[in-house]
Amino acid sequence: MKNYLVIGNPILHSLSPELHNYWIKKNNINAFYEKQELNKDDLKDLILKIKLGKISGVNVTVPFKKDVIPYLDKLTLESEYTQSVNTIYLNGDKVTGHNTDINGFELAMKDMNFDLFDKKILILGAGGVVPSIIYALNKIKVHKIILSNRTKKKAENLLHLSNKVEVTDWGIIPDFDMIINATSVGLNDKDALDLDLSKVGKDKLFYDVIYNPKETIFLKNAKKSGNKIENGKRMFIHQAAISFKIWHNIEPEINEEVIKLLDK
Ligand code: ATR
């Protein structure tokens, strides 16, 4: 029986096992998928197990998406660019790291039918997921990507990723077509960003990478003021589906039942 894992710390909240085991069952695959909390010191041994065929594949989540890189034999272009790996598999005898967050985000945008070509995008935050979003936005050929992070230096460290990226001070809200909350603020229901977004107008797209809770205060307020909103659920499902395809060579179905699996 093949075995798959998602690793992170903490990992209790991860819904990847629900999703993967659902698709494994639907497709009659002889496999199971579990979650495992690890420490940084455990990464080397874990990756050796993939090399030896003792583990068939691994998803990586916060805070290890970069930390796993030194132990891998090969990186795909996407994971090299973003320095972020969320999917590991054995390709021949090479333990390979890939990043499916990029296409996950891109497919989530497609699902919404929101045309981002030539649009101005404001990203709040500069953490682990932001390089993947920048990569995807570059592919979609947006006009401009403005980064705003509480710690400005961290945003400035991402300027090299694209000549479309600019950095602004935290608290300054430039004109935008789409705003993305890529900070961790909102994971706790009652937490809200200390930003005044009341004057941005309406008919913009407010996107939150967070999907649990379903509507952060960021999204609730945006809806009240007449803007479109979307949470990170579809990005999460798509990134999982792409990992599934890599491991099992089967494109899993994304239907209402799958979407409901995550409404916990
Ligand atoms: P990491 O920074 O380790 O990659 P992350 O969860 O991917 O972790 O990123 C957290 C993001 O949320 C960061 O951009 C962080 O801003 P700082 O770089 O200034 O820490 C942002 N963040 C967390 N708490 C915040 C808060 N109360 N207000 C604004 N931004 C916050």
Side-chain angles (χ1 to χ4, degrees), residues 25-51:
K25 206 165 150 206
K26 275 272 161 181
N27 290 285
N28 294 313
I29 299 169
N30 189 19
F32 67 97
Y33 185 114
E34 293 175 305
K35 52 184 152 194
Q36 194 173 326
E37 187 169 296
L38 289 185
N39 294 310
K40 208 173 160 180
D41 299 349
D42 304 321
L43 294 175
K44 192 176 176 186
D45 277 354
L46 178 101
I47 287 164
L48 188 63
K49 284 188 190 155
I50 305 174
K51 186 128 178 143

PDB file of all heavy atoms in Angstrom, residues 25-51:
ATOM      1  N   LYS A  25     -10.057   7.088  -2.251  1.00  0.00           N
ATOM      2  CA  LYS A  25     -11.167   6.136  -2.187  1.00  0.00           C
ATOM      3  C   LYS A  25     -11.977   6.166  -3.487  1.00  0.00           C
ATOM      4  O   LYS A  25     -12.284   5.126  -4.070  1.00  0.00           O
ATOM      5  CB  LYS A  25     -12.047   6.516  -0.998  1.00  0.00           C
ATOM      6  CG  LYS A  25     -12.826   5.357  -0.440  1.00  0.00           C
ATOM      7  CD  LYS A  25     -13.389   5.680   0.925  1.00  0.00           C
ATOM      8  CE  LYS A  25     -14.683   4.900   1.127  1.00  0.00           C
ATOM      9  NZ  LYS A  25     -15.572   5.556   2.068  1.00  0.00           N
ATOM     10  N   LYS A  26     -12.300   7.376  -3.921  1.00  0.00           N
ATOM     11  CA  LYS A  26     -13.098   7.549  -5.154  1.00  0.00           C
ATOM     12  C   LYS A  26     -12.447   6.859  -6.350  1.00  0.00           C
ATOM     13  O   LYS A  26     -13.111   6.412  -7.271  1.00  0.00           O
ATOM     14  CB  LYS A  26     -13.219   9.042  -5.492  1.00  0.00           C
ATOM     15  CG  LYS A  26     -14.343   9.729  -4.779  1.00  0.00           C
ATOM     16  CD  LYS A  26     -15.627   9.626  -5.565  1.00  0.00           C
ATOM     17  CE  LYS A  26     -16.763   9.909  -4.617  1.00  0.00           C
ATOM     18  NZ  LYS A  26     -18.065   9.846  -5.110  1.00  0.00           N
ATOM     19  N   ASN A  27     -11.117   6.867  -6.362  1.00  0.00           N
ATOM     20  CA  ASN A  27     -10.397   6.327  -7.519  1.00  0.00           C
ATOM     21  C   ASN A  27      -9.862   4.913  -7.276  1.00  0.00           C
ATOM     22  O   ASN A  27      -9.052   4.421  -8.068  1.00  0.00           O
ATOM     23  CB  ASN A  27      -9.252   7.279  -7.901  1.00  0.00           C
ATOM     24  CG  ASN A  27      -9.772   8.584  -8.486  1.00  0.00           C
ATOM     25  OD1 ASN A  27     -10.215   8.625  -9.625  1.00  0.00           O
ATOM     26  ND2 ASN A  27      -9.771   9.645  -7.695  1.00  0.00           N
ATOM     27  N   ASN A  28     -10.340   4.294  -6.181  1.00  0.00           N
ATOM     28  CA  ASN A  28      -9.930   2.912  -5.842  1.00  0.00           C
ATOM     29  C   ASN A  28      -8.418   2.720  -5.851  1.00  0.00           C
ATOM     30  O   ASN A  28      -7.902   1.758  -6.413  1.00  0.00           O
ATOM     31  CB  ASN A  28     -10.552   1.910  -6.828  1.00  0.00           C
ATOM     32  CG  ASN A  28     -12.044   1.886  -6.679  1.00  0.00           C
ATOM     33  OD1 ASN A  28     -12.551   1.820  -5.563  1.00  0.00           O
ATOM     34  ND2 ASN A  28     -12.757   1.975  -7.802  1.00  0.00           N
ATOM     35  N   ILE A  29      -7.718   3.658  -5.237  1.00  0.00           N
ATOM     36  CA  ILE A  29      -6.252   3.549  -5.174  1.00  0.00           C
ATOM     37  C   ILE A  29      -5.877   2.890  -3.844  1.00  0.00           C
ATOM     38  O   ILE A  29      -6.483   3.198  -2.805  1.00  0.00           O
ATOM     39  CB  ILE A  29      -5.609   4.954  -5.281  1.00  0.00           C
ATOM     40  CG1 ILE A  29      -5.972   5.603  -6.634  1.00  0.00           C
ATOM     41  CG2 ILE A  29      -4.095   4.878  -5.135  1.00  0.00           C
ATOM     42  CD1 ILE A  29      -5.616   7.075  -6.720  1.00  0.00           C
ATOM     43  N   ASN A  30      -4.915   2.016  -3.894  1.00  0.00           N
ATOM     44  CA  ASN A  30      -4.487   1.330  -2.683  1.00  0.00           C
ATOM     45  C   ASN A  30      -3.439   2.198  -1.964  1.00  0.00           C
ATOM     46  O   ASN A  30      -2.237   2.021  -2.155  1.00  0.00           O
ATOM     47  CB  ASN A  30      -3.916  -0.041  -3.062  1.00  0.00           C
ATOM     48  CG  ASN A  30      -3.655  -0.891  -1.828  1.00  0.00           C
ATOM     49  OD1 ASN A  30      -4.204  -0.636  -0.752  1.00  0.00           O
ATOM     50  ND2 ASN A  30      -2.801  -1.889  -1.982  1.00  0.00           N
ATOM     51  N   ALA A  31      -3.922   3.150  -1.189  1.00  0.00           N
ATOM     52  CA  ALA A  31      -3.013   4.097  -0.543  1.00  0.00           C
ATOM     53  C   ALA A  31      -3.704   4.731   0.658  1.00  0.00           C
ATOM     54  O   ALA A  31      -4.925   4.656   0.792  1.00  0.00           O
ATOM     55  CB  ALA A  31      -2.610   5.183  -1.539  1.00  0.00           C
ATOM     56  N   PHE A  32      -2.935   5.356   1.524  1.00  0.00           N
ATOM     57  CA  PHE A  32      -3.520   6.204   2.558  1.00  0.00           C
ATOM     58  C   PHE A  32      -2.656   7.445   2.766  1.00  0.00           C
ATOM     59  O   PHE A  32      -1.471   7.457   2.427  1.00  0.00           O
ATOM     60  CB  PHE A  32      -3.775   5.449   3.866  1.00  0.00           C
ATOM     61  CG  PHE A  32      -2.519   4.996   4.567  1.00  0.00           C
ATOM     62  CD1 PHE A  32      -1.968   5.742   5.602  1.00  0.00           C
ATOM     63  CD2 PHE A  32      -1.903   3.810   4.194  1.00  0.00           C
ATOM     64  CE1 PHE A  32      -0.801   5.323   6.242  1.00  0.00           C
ATOM     65  CE2 PHE A  32      -0.744   3.384   4.828  1.00  0.00           C
ATOM     66  CZ  PHE A  32      -0.194   4.135   5.854  1.00  0.00           C
ATOM     67  N   TYR A  33      -3.263   8.458   3.352  1.00  0.00           N
ATOM     68  CA  TYR A  33      -2.631   9.775   3.492  1.00  0.00           C
ATOM     69  C   TYR A  33      -2.837  10.235   4.933  1.00  0.00           C
ATOM     70  O   TYR A  33      -3.957  10.264   5.428  1.00  0.00           O
ATOM     71  CB  TYR A  33      -3.303  10.736   2.505  1.00  0.00           C
ATOM     72  CG  TYR A  33      -2.697  12.123   2.412  1.00  0.00           C
ATOM     73  CD1 TYR A  33      -2.081  12.559   1.240  1.00  0.00           C
ATOM     74  CD2 TYR A  33      -2.778  13.023   3.473  1.00  0.00           C
ATOM     75  CE1 TYR A  33      -1.553  13.829   1.136  1.00  0.00           C
ATOM     76  CE2 TYR A  33      -2.242  14.295   3.385  1.00  0.00           C
ATOM     77  CZ  TYR A  33      -1.629  14.700   2.218  1.00  0.00           C
ATOM     78  OH  TYR A  33      -1.109  15.970   2.116  1.00  0.00           O
ATOM     79  N   GLU A  34      -1.746  10.597   5.591  1.00  0.00           N
ATOM     80  CA  GLU A  34      -1.828  11.003   7.004  1.00  0.00           C
ATOM     81  C   GLU A  34      -1.162  12.362   7.230  1.00  0.00           C
ATOM     82  O   GLU A  34      -0.432  12.833   6.366  1.00  0.00           O
ATOM     83  CB  GLU A  34      -1.080   9.995   7.864  1.00  0.00           C
ATOM     84  CG  GLU A  34      -1.705   8.624   7.911  1.00  0.00           C
ATOM     85  CD  GLU A  34      -0.820   7.671   8.695  1.00  0.00           C
ATOM     86  OE1 GLU A  34       0.362   7.558   8.334  1.00  0.00           O
ATOM     87  OE2 GLU A  34      -1.310   7.076   9.655  1.00  0.00           O
ATOM     88  N   LYS A  35      -1.384  12.914   8.419  1.00  0.00           N
ATOM     89  CA  LYS A  35      -0.648  14.135   8.765  1.00  0.00           C
ATOM     90  C   LYS A  35       0.363  13.825   9.857  1.00  0.00           C
ATOM     91  O   LYS A  35       0.143  12.950  10.682  1.00  0.00           O
ATOM     92  CB  LYS A  35      -1.586  15.252   9.187  1.00  0.00           C
ATOM     93  CG  LYS A  35      -2.594  14.941  10.260  1.00  0.00           C
ATOM     94  CD  LYS A  35      -3.493  16.152  10.461  1.00  0.00           C
ATOM     95  CE  LYS A  35      -4.860  15.757  10.962  1.00  0.00           C
ATOM     96  NZ  LYS A  35      -5.847  16.802  10.874  1.00  0.00           N
ATOM     97  N   GLN A  36       1.466  14.538   9.836  1.00  0.00           N
ATOM     98  CA  GLN A  36       2.499  14.313  10.845  1.00  0.00           C
ATOM     99  C   GLN A  36       3.142  15.623  11.265  1.00  0.00           C
ATOM    100  O   GLN A  36       3.591  16.393  10.413  1.00  0.00           O
ATOM    101  CB  GLN A  36       3.567  13.375  10.278  1.00  0.00           C
ATOM    102  CG  GLN A  36       4.484  12.817  11.338  1.00  0.00           C
ATOM    103  CD  GLN A  36       5.430  11.755  10.774  1.00  0.00           C
ATOM    104  OE1 GLN A  36       5.092  10.997   9.873  1.00  0.00           O
ATOM    105  NE2 GLN A  36       6.630  11.719  11.289  1.00  0.00           N
ATOM    106  N   GLU A  37       3.152  15.837  12.579  1.00  0.00           N
ATOM    107  CA  GLU A  37       3.831  17.034  13.096  1.00  0.00           C
ATOM    108  C   GLU A  37       5.311  16.709  13.263  1.00  0.00           C
ATOM    109  O   GLU A  37       5.667  15.687  13.829  1.00  0.00           O
ATOM    110  CB  GLU A  37       3.213  17.427  14.443  1.00  0.00           C
ATOM    111  CG  GLU A  37       3.738  18.745  14.948  1.00  0.00           C
ATOM    112  CD  GLU A  37       2.951  19.275  16.127  1.00  0.00           C
ATOM    113  OE1 GLU A  37       1.755  19.574  15.962  1.00  0.00           O
ATOM    114  OE2 GLU A  37       3.538  19.371  17.216  1.00  0.00           O
ATOM    115  N   LEU A  38       6.149  17.569  12.745  1.00  0.00           N
ATOM    116  CA  LEU A  38       7.586  17.322  12.789  1.00  0.00           C
ATOM    117  C   LEU A  38       8.320  18.518  13.368  1.00  0.00           C
ATOM    118  O   LEU A  38       7.769  19.601  13.500  1.00  0.00           O
ATOM    119  CB  LEU A  38       8.131  17.165  11.364  1.00  0.00           C
ATOM    120  CG  LEU A  38       7.802  15.939  10.536  1.00  0.00           C
ATOM    121  CD1 LEU A  38       8.586  16.033   9.236  1.00  0.00           C
ATOM    122  CD2 LEU A  38       8.196  14.691  11.283  1.00  0.00           C
ATOM    123  N   ASN A  39       9.589  18.305  13.661  1.00  0.00           N
ATOM    124  CA  ASN A  39      10.496  19.411  13.952  1.00  0.00           C
ATOM    125  C   ASN A  39      11.503  19.497  12.817  1.00  0.00           C
ATOM    126  O   ASN A  39      11.671  18.537  12.062  1.00  0.00           O
ATOM    127  CB  ASN A  39      11.205  19.160  15.281  1.00  0.00           C
ATOM    128  CG  ASN A  39      10.214  19.193  16.419  1.00  0.00           C
ATOM    129  OD1 ASN A  39       9.416  20.133  16.528  1.00  0.00           O
ATOM    130  ND2 ASN A  39      10.213  18.153  17.224  1.00  0.00           N
ATOM    131  N   LYS A  40      12.171  20.629  12.737  1.00  0.00           N
ATOM    132  CA  LYS A  40      13.125  20.850  11.648  1.00  0.00           C
ATOM    133  C   LYS A  40      14.182  19.737  11.582  1.00  0.00           C
ATOM    134  O   LYS A  40      14.572  19.304  10.503  1.00  0.00           O
ATOM    135  CB  LYS A  40      13.788  22.220  11.867  1.00  0.00           C
ATOM    136  CG  LYS A  40      14.243  22.876  10.600  1.00  0.00           C
ATOM    137  CD  LYS A  40      14.725  24.287  10.857  1.00  0.00           C
ATOM    138  CE  LYS A  40      15.601  24.716   9.691  1.00  0.00           C
ATOM    139  NZ  LYS A  40      16.120  26.066   9.844  1.00  0.00           N
ATOM    140  N   ASP A  41      14.584  19.259  12.751  1.00  0.00           N
ATOM    141  CA  ASP A  41      15.613  18.201  12.820  1.00  0.00           C
ATOM    142  C   ASP A  41      15.173  16.895  12.167  1.00  0.00           C
ATOM    143  O   ASP A  41      16.000  16.034  11.882  1.00  0.00           O
ATOM    144  CB  ASP A  41      15.926  17.853  14.291  1.00  0.00           C
ATOM    145  CG  ASP A  41      16.465  19.028  15.051  1.00  0.00           C
ATOM    146  OD1 ASP A  41      16.792  20.026  14.387  1.00  0.00           O
ATOM    147  OD2 ASP A  41      16.558  18.946  16.288  1.00  0.00           O
ATOM    148  N   ASP A  42      13.880  16.709  12.009  1.00  0.00           N
ATOM    149  CA  ASP A  42      13.363  15.437  11.480  1.00  0.00           C
ATOM    150  C   ASP A  42      13.333  15.402   9.949  1.00  0.00           C
ATOM    151  O   ASP A  42      13.074  14.355   9.355  1.00  0.00           O
ATOM    152  CB  ASP A  42      11.923  15.190  11.971  1.00  0.00           C
ATOM    153  CG  ASP A  42      11.824  15.228  13.484  1.00  0.00           C
ATOM    154  OD1 ASP A  42      12.745  14.715  14.134  1.00  0.00           O
ATOM    155  OD2 ASP A  42      10.826  15.766  14.006  1.00  0.00           O
ATOM    156  N   LEU A  43      13.558  16.559   9.318  1.00  0.00           N
ATOM    157  CA  LEU A  43      13.322  16.647   7.868  1.00  0.00           C
ATOM    158  C   LEU A  43      14.260  15.734   7.072  1.00  0.00           C
ATOM    159  O   LEU A  43      13.845  15.082   6.118  1.00  0.00           O
ATOM    160  CB  LEU A  43      13.478  18.099   7.387  1.00  0.00           C
ATOM    161  CG  LEU A  43      12.424  19.077   7.917  1.00  0.00           C
ATOM    162  CD1 LEU A  43      12.747  20.506   7.467  1.00  0.00           C
ATOM    163  CD2 LEU A  43      11.025  18.680   7.449  1.00  0.00           C
ATOM    164  N   LYS A  44      15.521  15.687   7.475  1.00  0.00           N
ATOM    165  CA  LYS A  44      16.521  14.913   6.736  1.00  0.00           C
ATOM    166  C   LYS A  44      16.108  13.434   6.670  1.00  0.00           C
ATOM    167  O   LYS A  44      16.104  12.821   5.595  1.00  0.00           O
ATOM    168  CB  LYS A  44      17.881  15.072   7.429  1.00  0.00           C
ATOM    169  CG  LYS A  44      19.023  14.568   6.600  1.00  0.00           C
ATOM    170  CD  LYS A  44      20.348  14.834   7.273  1.00  0.00           C
ATOM    171  CE  LYS A  44      21.448  14.207   6.432  1.00  0.00           C
ATOM    172  NZ  LYS A  44      22.733  14.300   7.100  1.00  0.00           N
ATOM    173  N   ASP A  45      15.745  12.876   7.815  1.00  0.00           N
ATOM    174  CA  ASP A  45      15.345  11.457   7.877  1.00  0.00           C
ATOM    175  C   ASP A  45      14.094  11.196   7.065  1.00  0.00           C
ATOM    176  O   ASP A  45      13.972  10.181   6.394  1.00  0.00           O
ATOM    177  CB  ASP A  45      15.062  11.055   9.331  1.00  0.00           C
ATOM    178  CG  ASP A  45      16.338  10.691  10.051  1.00  0.00           C
ATOM    179  OD1 ASP A  45      17.387  10.652   9.369  1.00  0.00           O
ATOM    180  OD2 ASP A  45      16.276  10.458  11.267  1.00  0.00           O
ATOM    181  N   LEU A  46      13.180  12.144   7.146  1.00  0.00           N
ATOM    182  CA  LEU A  46      11.919  11.973   6.423  1.00  0.00           C
ATOM    183  C   LEU A  46      12.185  11.892   4.921  1.00  0.00           C
ATOM    184  O   LEU A  46      11.651  11.025   4.220  1.00  0.00           O
ATOM    185  CB  LEU A  46      10.986  13.153   6.721  1.00  0.00           C
ATOM    186  CG  LEU A  46       9.697  13.035   5.942  1.00  0.00           C
ATOM    187  CD1 LEU A  46       8.597  12.516   6.832  1.00  0.00           C
ATOM    188  CD2 LEU A  46       9.294  14.343   5.303  1.00  0.00           C
ATOM    189  N   ILE A  47      13.070  12.752   4.442  1.00  0.00           N
ATOM    190  CA  ILE A  47      13.314  12.785   3.004  1.00  0.00           C
ATOM    191  C   ILE A  47      14.097  11.552   2.549  1.00  0.00           C
ATOM    192  O   ILE A  47      13.874  11.017   1.465  1.00  0.00           O
ATOM    193  CB  ILE A  47      13.932  14.130   2.609  1.00  0.00           C
ATOM    194  CG1 ILE A  47      12.781  15.147   2.718  1.00  0.00           C
ATOM    195  CG2 ILE A  47      14.513  14.120   1.200  1.00  0.00           C
ATOM    196  CD1 ILE A  47      13.131  16.548   2.743  1.00  0.00           C
ATOM    197  N   LEU A  48      14.927  11.039   3.436  1.00  0.00           N
ATOM    198  CA  LEU A  48      15.626   9.783   3.154  1.00  0.00           C
ATOM    199  C   LEU A  48      14.603   8.651   2.944  1.00  0.00           C
ATOM    200  O   LEU A  48      14.775   7.792   2.073  1.00  0.00           O
ATOM    201  CB  LEU A  48      16.570   9.457   4.320  1.00  0.00           C
ATOM    202  CG  LEU A  48      17.504   8.269   4.091  1.00  0.00           C
ATOM    203  CD1 LEU A  48      18.458   8.551   2.925  1.00  0.00           C
ATOM    204  CD2 LEU A  48      18.328   7.984   5.352  1.00  0.00           C
ATOM    205  N   LYS A  49      13.546   8.677   3.731  1.00  0.00           N
ATOM    206  CA  LYS A  49      12.509   7.636   3.599  1.00  0.00           C
ATOM    207  C   LYS A  49      11.840   7.689   2.217  1.00  0.00           C
ATOM    208  O   LYS A  49      11.412   6.668   1.693  1.00  0.00           O
ATOM    209  CB  LYS A  49      11.446   7.798   4.693  1.00  0.00           C
ATOM    210  CG  LYS A  49      11.922   7.307   6.045  1.00  0.00           C
ATOM    211  CD  LYS A  49      10.778   7.320   7.042  1.00  0.00           C
ATOM    212  CE  LYS A  49      11.284   7.067   8.445  1.00  0.00           C
ATOM    213  NZ  LYS A  49      10.408   7.624   9.467  1.00  0.00           N
ATOM    214  N   ILE A  50      11.743   8.888   1.659  1.00  0.00           N
ATOM    215  CA  ILE A  50      11.152   9.007   0.313  1.00  0.00           C
ATOM    216  C   ILE A  50      12.127   8.376  -0.691  1.00  0.00           C
ATOM    217  O   ILE A  50      11.746   7.627  -1.567  1.00  0.00           O
ATOM    218  CB  ILE A  50      10.877  10.474  -0.049  1.00  0.00           C
ATOM    219  CG1 ILE A  50      10.004  11.136   1.020  1.00  0.00           C
ATOM    220  CG2 ILE A  50      10.206  10.584  -1.433  1.00  0.00           C
ATOM    221  CD1 ILE A  50       9.805  12.623   0.818  1.00  0.00           C
ATOM    222  N   LYS A  51      13.390   8.673  -0.514  1.00  0.00           N
ATOM    223  CA  LYS A  51      14.440   8.145  -1.404  1.00  0.00           C
ATOM    224  C   LYS A  51      14.428   6.616  -1.382  1.00  0.00           C
ATOM    225  O   LYS A  51      14.606   5.962  -2.410  1.00  0.00           O
ATOM    226  CB  LYS A  51      15.795   8.680  -0.918  1.00  0.00           C
ATOM    227  CG  LYS A  51      16.931   8.319  -1.820  1.00  0.00           C
ATOM    228  CD  LYS A  51      17.709   9.556  -2.195  1.00  0.00           C
ATOM    229  CE  LYS A  51      18.887   9.235  -3.059  1.00  0.00           C
ATOM    230  NZ  LYS A  51      19.114  10.259  -4.063  1.00  0.00           N
TER     231      LYS A  51
END
